[in-house]
Amino acid sequence: MEAMSSLTRVGRYWNQLRGLSVAEIVEKAGSTASRAMIRRPAVDTVPLPRPMLPEPSWLSLQRPSRRGVVLRRADELLDGRWRLLARPMELAFPPEWNRNPAGGARVPLTTGRRFSVRDVETAGDYKYLLELHRHGELVLLAQAWHFSGERRYLDALGDLLGSWFAQCPFPHGAAWSCPGEAGIRLINWALAWQLVGGIRSPLFDNPVGKVLRTDWLNSVWRHAEFIDAHPGRRAVGDHKRIAELAGMYVAGATWPHWDEAATWRSVAREGLEKEILQQIAADGVGREQSIGIQQSVWDCLMFAGVASRSTDTPMSAKYWQRLEAMLEFLAGIMDAGGNVPQLGDWDSSQISGLGLGSGSCALHGQLATGALLFRNASLARKAGVVDPVTEWLLGEAACAEFDGLVLEGAVATPRTDFPEGGVYVLGASLDTPAEFRVVVDAGALGLAGVAAHGHADALSFTLSMAGREFLVDPGTGTYLGAESWRSGFRGTAMHNTLSLDGDDQAVSGGRFIWTRRYQTRVVERHNSAREERLVAEHDGYRRKSGRPVHRRAWLFDRPSGTLSVTDSVSGNGVQDVRLHWHFSEECSVTCTPDGLHVSNGPVCLEMLLPPGGEVSVLHGSETPLTGWVSRSYDQRVPSTTVIWRAQMAADMPMETVFRRLC
C-alpha cells in the first residue's frame, strides 16, 4: 500500500510538470531550491512576548445592531451541532481534532509537512478536516460572549482552544500540513482575540486562563514562524500563498509583542502587494477562473488590508484598487436576484467565522463591506443593505454612511466587460424586475501551470431573467469524492457549451491538474442601443484530426428581448457535435415541436433548438453524468439537462434562440 501511494504521488507530480511551460518549470525549480535554502529548523523555545499596551486593534469592537443568529448558532455548537462546508454534522464539543468529521478516519500525528492531504485512504476527504482546523467557531463563540456577556461562551472558547493545543502539538498532524491553512487559522484567532478583549481579556483572569494565554501566544508565534519558514509555491502563483501571507501579516499587526512581528509584517506586506497583481487581473477577475477561490482570496486580502490601517505602513493604493475591481466584477456577474454563476471550483469554505452567525450571503457581505471601504455607491446599490459581518468589521459609525451611498442612485452594474479575465455580461434592464442577464465565460482555463481550480468551460454562459436562474453552471460537486463526479463536474459536458465526440476541451491529468490547456480569443465585441454582439473562439480541440476550432457568437436584440447563440466548428469532414444546456433545479422544462418551453416561477422563456439533431432530456442521470446541480461542497440535487446532438459538416452554423415569453 505504501509503495502504491508513492507511485501515485510520483504520477501526480509528473502530471503537474506536464502542465507547466519550460519557463515555469525552470522558475519553479529555482523557487524550490530557494525555499529549501531558507527553511530553518524549528526553534525549541518560543521567545517571551513583551506585551505592547495598549494593544493595537483593527477590528471594530462595537456591538452590531443586529444579532443575526449568533446566539442560536453558538448554542447549537455547544450541543455538538457543527456546520462544516455548509453541511450539518454531529460532533463532540470539543471535537477530536485528529479525526476527520467526514467518515471518522483518524489521522496519525506524523510530522505535518509530510502529511498528504490528498491521501484519501488515510484521511478521507481532507476538506472537512481542514475546515474544522480553521477555527471559525472561535469567532462565533467570541461574538456570542460579546453580545450576551455570558461567561459560558467565553469558557467554551477556552475549552476549544485548550483541547486543540493538547491534541495538535507543533509540528504534528494535519493542522500543520499546510501553511495556507495556518494563515487562515491566524486570521480567525486574531478576530477572536480582539472580540474577547485581547491580552487583558477576562478569559485569562484565573490561573488556568493565564496558562491558556501563554499557550495561545506561543502558538501564534509558532504559526507565523511556520509560515515564514515554509513559503508556498511562489513561482506558479497560488491562492494559498495569499492565505499564508495574509495570516502572517494579521499576526504581526495583532500581536506585535515580539521582535519578529515587524519582520512578519514586512515580508507579508511585500508578498501580498506582489501576489495581488500577479493573481488578480486589472479588471478584477481572479486568474484562477474560480468564483469560490476569488471569494476566499478577497477575504484574505481584505483582512490584511484592514489590519494594515492600524500600522504605520498601510497597503498601497494599487492594492486597494485591485480589491475594489474584484468587487465590481462580482457586481457585474450577480443578477437581480443575487445569484452568481458558479464559475470554476466553488467548495463552500469560509475564511473567517464572522459570518457563521450572520444568516446572510457572504458575497453580499463583501459588496457591503467594499461599498464602505471604497465609498462606492454602485457596490452599495448592489448590496442593498449592510451585512452583519460589515458591522463587526467596520463599526456602526462607518455603516451609518451606507444609506447615503445607496441614495446616490448609482448604477448597480458599473461594468459589463472584463476583457483581461475573459468574462462578458450581455443583456438589458440590468438590476430591475425586467432584467435579462447573460454571463459569458470566454476566458482562460485557469492560472498558469496546472489550472488546478479551473473547469473546461470555454464559451459557456449562464442566463437569468428577472433575477431567476435559467441556464446555470452546475458547480463543483466534490474534490476527493468519486472520481467520476470530480471529473464530470469540471468537464466540458457539465457546462453550457459545445463538445466534440463527448471529449473535454482540455486534457485532465488528475483531480486538480490539466495537462493540456486551451487558448481563447475574442473575435468581436459590439454594443449599441439596439443590440449586443460577442464572438469568441477556443482551440481546445485542435489536438483532434482536422485541428477544429469552436467559435460561438452571441447576438442579443434589446427591443425583442431575444438572444441568438450560433455555434460553428472549423476543420474537415463530419463531426460529432453536442450542445449541452443545464437548467436550474427550480426550472420546469417541457419539449415543444420546435424546442423547449422553460419556466422558473412566473417567468418563462421559449428556446428554439437547431433543426435536425437528436434531443435528449435528462434529469439526475449518472450514465451519462448530467442533470445535476451542486450548490454546496459534496452535495448535489437533480436538475434538467438538455443535450442536442448531430453529425455536422465543418463550418456549418448551429443556431439556438432564447426568447422571453413572460
Side-chain angles (χ1 to χ4, degrees):
M1 185 65 70
E2 183 177 349
M4 183 61 68
S5 179
S6 297
L7 288 174
T8 301
R9 287 196 294 271
V10 170
R12 184 167 68 244
Y13 297 148
W14 169 243
N15 280 334
Q16 287 177 338
L17 289 176
R18 289 175 61 198
L20 301 177
S21 67
V22 174
E24 289 168 339
I25 292 174
V26 172
E27 185 183 3
K28 186 175 180 66
S31 177
T32 301
S34 298
R35 292 200 306 272
M37 292 177 65
I38 65 174
R39 285 175 182 165
R40 51 188 181 274
V43 177
D44 291 335
T45 304
V46 176
L48 289 173
R50 297 189 301 275
M52 179 183 291
L53 298 175
E55 278 188 305
S57 177
W58 49 267
L59 180 68
S60 168
L61 298 179
Q62 296 177 339
R63 188 175 294 124
S65 58
R66 293 173 294 165
R67 295 191 178 191
V69 291
V70 167
L71 297 182
R72 178 166 63 84
R73 283 289 298 112
D75 288 338
E76 289 175 357
L77 183 66
L78 297 185
D79 289 338
R81 287 175 286 166
W82 295 66
R83 294 185 187 181
L84 299 174
L85 301 175
R87 177 178 168 183
M89 289 188 166
E90 298 287 336
L91 303 175
F93 186 92
E96 291 186 66
W97 292 104
N98 294 304
R99 188 180 295 279
N100 195 326
R106 185 163 182 82
V107 180
L109 276 178
T110 56
T111 301
R113 293 295 288 165
R114 295 179 182 174
F115 171 74
S116 173
V117 294
R118 295 179 187 173
D119 186 355
V120 181
E121 293 183 1
T122 301
D125 191 334
Y126 75 94
K127 281 297 298 179
Y128 294 97
L129 186 62
L130 295 188
E131 191 76 8
L132 181 69
H133 283 274
R134 290 186 172 187
H135 287 187
E137 290 75 17
L138 292 180
V139 182
L140 176 67
L141 293 171
Q143 289 173 313
W145 176 78
H146 204 69
F147 263 134
S148 67
E150 294 185 36
R151 179 78 195 198
R152 62 192 182 100
Y153 296 120
L154 203 59
D155 290 339
L157 186 153
D159 291 343
L160 209 57
L161 262 181
S163 67
W164 190 87
F165 295 143
Q167 296 178 40
C168 305
F170 174 80
H172 302 290
W176 299 98
S177 63
C178 177
E181 292 299 318
I184 294 170
R185 193 157 52 244
L186 280 174
I187 290 173
N188 281 307
W189 282 8
L191 294 169
W193 178 271
Q194 292 174 84
L195 285 170
V196 300
I199 203 165
R200 291 182 170 175
S201 168
L203 176 62
F204 310 130
D205 281 349
N206 56 43
V208 172
K210 288 179 171 55
V211 172
L212 178 67
R213 180 174 61 192
T214 298
D215 289 345
W216 198 352
L217 288 172
N218 285 349
S219 196
V220 166
W221 190 91
R222 289 285 190 197
H223 275 70
E225 287 292 295
F226 170 67
I227 294 170
D228 195 27
H230 297 86
R233 295 177 287 176
R234 303 183 191 192
V236 181
D238 190 337
H239 70 277
K240 294 176 184 176
R241 182 59 181 158
I242 287 180
E244 298 171 17
L245 292 168
M248 187 163 69
Y249 186 89
V250 165
T254 308
W255 296 283
H257 307 315
W258 302 273
D259 293 338
E260 293 87 348
T263 302
W264 302 339
R265 293 195 303 273
S266 175
V267 170
R269 183 181 185 277
E270 180 182 353
L272 288 169
E273 294 276 5
K274 175 183 175 182
E275 292 292 335
I276 193 173
L277 299 180
Q278 180 180 353
Q279 297 193 37
I280 308 299
D283 57 16
V285 182
R287 293 194 171 97
E288 287 267 16
Q289 295 291 322
S290 161
I291 299 301
I293 297 299
Q294 180 146 342
Q295 174 186 340
S296 296
V297 164
W298 193 89
D299 274 347
C300 288
L301 293 168
M302 180 273 297
F303 282 120
V306 171
S308 77
R309 301 193 305 180
S310 69
T311 71
D312 296 333
T313 53
M315 298 298 178
S316 70
K318 287 184 178 180
Y319 183 96
W320 290 108
Q321 288 166 3
R322 202 60 58 101
L323 273 175
E324 185 174 16
M326 292 174 74
L327 293 183
E328 290 184 341
F329 167 62
L330 173 60
I333 63 175
M334 180 183 286
D335 71 15
N339 304 299
V340 174
Q342 300 184 108
L343 306 179
D345 279 343
W346 195 324
D347 60 22
S348 307
S349 60
Q350 298 291 325
I351 295 300
S352 89
L354 277 180
L356 291 181
S358 70
S360 60
C361 169
L363 294 176
H364 278 86
Q366 290 185 345
L367 291 170
T369 300
L372 291 168
L373 284 175
F374 308 116
R375 296 198 53 79
N376 187 315
S378 291
L379 297 180
R381 179 82 177 273
K382 194 75 176 195
V385 297
V386 174
D387 184 84
V389 172
T390 305
E391 291 190 76
W392 283 108
L393 272 171
L394 304 181
E396 189 175 354
C399 292
E401 302 177 13
F402 188 86
D403 289 344
L405 291 173
V406 173
L407 292 175
E408 289 184 20
V411 294
T413 301
R415 291 189 288 137
T416 57
D417 288 13
F418 305 90
E420 194 171 347
V423 178
Y424 296 83
V425 179
L426 292 72
S429 304
L430 301 182
D431 305 300
T432 73
E435 176 183 80
F436 191 110
R437 185 183 296 260
V438 175
V439 179
V440 174
D441 181 358
L445 177 61
L447 197 62
V450 297
H453 292 285
H455 289 188
D457 56 1
L459 311 190
S460 180
F461 68 98
T462 62
L463 167 63
S464 62
M465 298 189 306
R468 292 176 179 266
E469 295 180 297
F470 281 80
L471 291 178
V472 299
D473 185 311
T476 297
T478 186
Y479 286 167
L480 295 176
E483 173 63 34
S484 60
W485 289 95
R486 173 57 175 162
S487 60
F489 270 93
R490 70 200 289 254
T492 299
M494 283 290 272
H495 297 86
N496 301 307
T497 189
L498 175 149
S499 69
L500 284 183
D501 305 320
D503 293 335
D504 289 335
Q505 299 160 340
V507 178
S508 175
R511 293 173 182 265
F512 297 92
I513 302 170
W514 295 103
T515 57
R516 180 166 182 152
R517 305 189 297 274
Y518 51 73
Q519 298 293 323
T520 57
R521 183 172 74 96
V522 173
V523 178
E524 178 187 347
R525 176 63 166 138
H526 168 73
N527 196 341
S528 69
R530 183 174 181 83
E531 67 178 28
E532 277 191 271
R533 179 174 171 82
L534 174 68
V535 182
E537 63 185 22
H538 77 87
D539 64 0
Y541 292 120
R542 284 178 68 86
R543 66 185 188 272
K544 291 179 171 291
S545 175
R547 298 176 62 79
V549 172
H550 173 211
R551 176 174 288 196
R552 172 169 276 183
W554 295 262
L555 177 64
F556 180 66
D557 182 72
R558 298 184 195 279
S560 64
T562 301
L563 174 69
S564 169
V565 180
T566 303
D567 293 282
S568 62
V569 181
S570 66
N572 53 49
V574 177
Q575 300 162 325
D576 180 5
V577 175
R578 304 174 198 187
L579 296 173
H580 307 268
W581 306 111
H582 300 274
F583 294 95
S584 164
E585 66 273 34
E586 301 296 327
C587 286
S588 174
V589 181
T590 306
C591 291
T592 66
D594 297 319
L596 305 168
H597 181 276
V598 187
S599 62
N600 185 337
V603 185
C604 55
L605 67 78
E606 174 187 39
M607 182 173 172
L608 304 180
L609 299 172
E614 172 188 326
V615 178
S616 302
V617 180
L618 301 168
H619 190 82
S621 169
E622 296 199 25
T623 308
L625 182 63
T626 195
W628 299 93
V629 170
S630 174
R631 301 288 184 178
S632 301
Y633 183 77
D634 215 16
Q635 300 180 43
R636 55 188 179 269
V637 296
S639 62
T640 300
T641 293
V642 174
I643 302 174
W644 180 92
R645 181 177 182 180
Q647 302 296 311
M648 300 292 294
D651 297 311
M652 288 293 292
M654 296 158 277
E655 183 183 27
T656 307
V657 178
F658 303 84
R659 182 179 298 114
R660 181 171 180 174
L661 298 177
C662 55

